[in-house]
Amino acid sequence: MKKAFPFKLKITLLTFLLALFCVSQTNAYMVKYKEDWYRLYHVHYQQYPDDCMENIYWLERAVKADFANPLYANAKIETEKEWEKYRYMFMMHLNLKLIEQHLRLGRIYDKKVANFYDAPWKDEYIRNLEKALSCYKTGLIYWQEAQLWAEKANVKEFNFLYLTDLQYWEDERERIKTGELDYSKMLNREITRVQTVRDNFIAMKSENY
C-alpha cells in the first residue's frame, strides 16, 4: 500500500501555501477582517481532505481576525446593541462551521467497521482512525466555544432584538438555547465508536487473505 503523507505535515504545508496565496493576492484584494476571511469559506458538493483543511484555515483566520466596521457587517447594523449581538452570533456561527468541517474531514478518514478481511491493511486503517478521532475531539473544543458565544447572544437584554438579515444565525442561536442543536452528543458518540473500531483493529492479527 502506498505510504501515507504525514497528516500533521500535510496540514502545515497546506497552511503555508494558503498563507502564501493570501499574501500574493493582497494587491488585488485585502483580506483582513472576519467578514473577509469568512467570504473565502465555501463548501464543495464533494469535499476532499484538502478542501476541508482549506475551509478550516479560512474559518480559523476569521475567528482570530478583527471585525470590520459595522458599515461593512454581514447584516444591517443600526445600534450598538445590534452590533454587540452581531459579534456574538458571528463567533458562534464560525465555531459551528468549524465543527461541521471537522466532522466532514473526520468522516473522510473514518471506517465504520473493522472487518476481518481488512487485516492486511490494519496499520493504515488505524492511522486513518486516529485522524478521524483527532477531528472529532477538536470538534468538541469548538462546540464549547460555540456554546459560550450563543450564551452571550441569549442574555435577557437581547430577548426582543432580532437581526432579520441573519435569520439562519438566529435559528442556530435558538436551537442551541433549547438544546435542539447539541453537537456534543454527536461528537461523543462518534468518538466512542471510532475508539472501539480502532481497538478492534489493534487486537486484530495481521493475516493475508
Side-chain angles (χ1 to χ4, degrees):
M1 182 175 287
K2 185 178 179 181
K3 187 176 181 181
F5 194 58
F7 188 55
K8 290 184 179 179
L9 180 58
K10 189 172 184 178
I11 292 178
T12 302
L13 179 60
L14 180 63
T15 300
F16 171 76
L17 291 174
L18 288 170
L20 187 63
F21 168 79
C22 290
V23 171
S24 68
Q25 296 296 312
T26 52
N27 289 332
Y29 178 72
M30 178 63 73
V31 181
K32 181 178 181 181
Y33 298 107
K34 286 188 189 300
E35 290 82 357
D36 300 325
W37 290 108
Y38 180 66
R39 290 187 189 101
L40 295 174
Y41 158 80
H42 56 285
V43 178
H44 301 276
Y45 177 74
Q46 182 175 1
Q47 280 194 287
Y48 297 98
D50 286 354
D51 298 320
C52 292
M53 287 188 281
E54 178 186 347
N55 273 335
I56 289 170
Y57 176 81
W58 302 137
L59 291 168
E60 287 183 340
R61 290 301 298 262
V63 167
K64 296 174 183 177
D66 294 328
F67 285 94
N69 185 283
L71 284 172
Y72 307 107
N74 290 346
K76 185 178 181 180
I77 303 297
E78 296 182 325
T79 67
E80 290 187 8
K81 280 299 177 186
E82 288 178 346
W83 175 232
E84 183 181 0
K85 186 177 183 182
Y86 167 83
R87 299 198 308 272
Y88 296 154
M89 289 209 303
F90 201 154
M91 291 298 294
M92 173 201 71
H93 181 71
L94 289 174
N95 279 282
L96 290 176
K97 289 303 175 185
L98 278 161
I99 296 169
E100 290 179 9
Q101 288 302 303
H102 279 82
L103 278 168
R104 283 175 176 265
L105 185 59
R107 285 165 180 161
I108 291 171
Y109 295 105
D110 205 339
K111 194 174 192 320
K112 303 299 182 183
V113 181
N115 299 299
F116 77 94
Y117 48 76
D118 293 323
W121 306 283
K122 59 174 283 187
D123 291 340
E124 181 68 19
Y125 283 125
I126 290 170
R127 283 193 292 270
N128 284 340
L129 287 166
E130 291 288 352
K131 296 174 187 176
L133 198 57
S134 176
C135 289
Y136 299 150
K137 287 182 177 179
T138 302
L140 280 176
I141 297 172
Y142 288 119
W143 173 241
Q144 292 173 352
E145 285 293 313
Q147 285 181 296
L148 289 173
W149 290 109
E151 185 177 345
K152 288 177 178 290
N154 275 321
V155 296
K156 189 177 296 185
E157 60 189 291
F158 296 135
N159 278 354
F160 300 102
L161 195 164
Y162 293 92
L163 301 182
T164 55
D165 291 342
L166 298 173
Q167 187 58 53
Y168 184 68
W169 295 9
E170 291 280 13
D171 290 343
E172 289 177 333
R173 174 195 56 74
E174 186 64 23
R175 290 173 64 209
I176 292 175
K177 179 182 178 180
T178 61
E180 181 184 350
L181 179 59
D182 186 351
Y183 273 114
S184 64
K185 293 180 180 179
M186 179 192 303
L187 289 163
N188 281 313
R189 183 174 64 245
E190 295 299 287
I191 289 169
T192 299
R193 179 187 55 76
V194 170
Q195 288 174 331
T196 299
V197 176
R198 181 198 57 185
D199 292 344
N200 289 340
F201 271 116
I202 292 173
M204 189 182 291
K205 293 182 180 180
S206 298
E207 300 288 350
N208 292 318
Y209 292 96

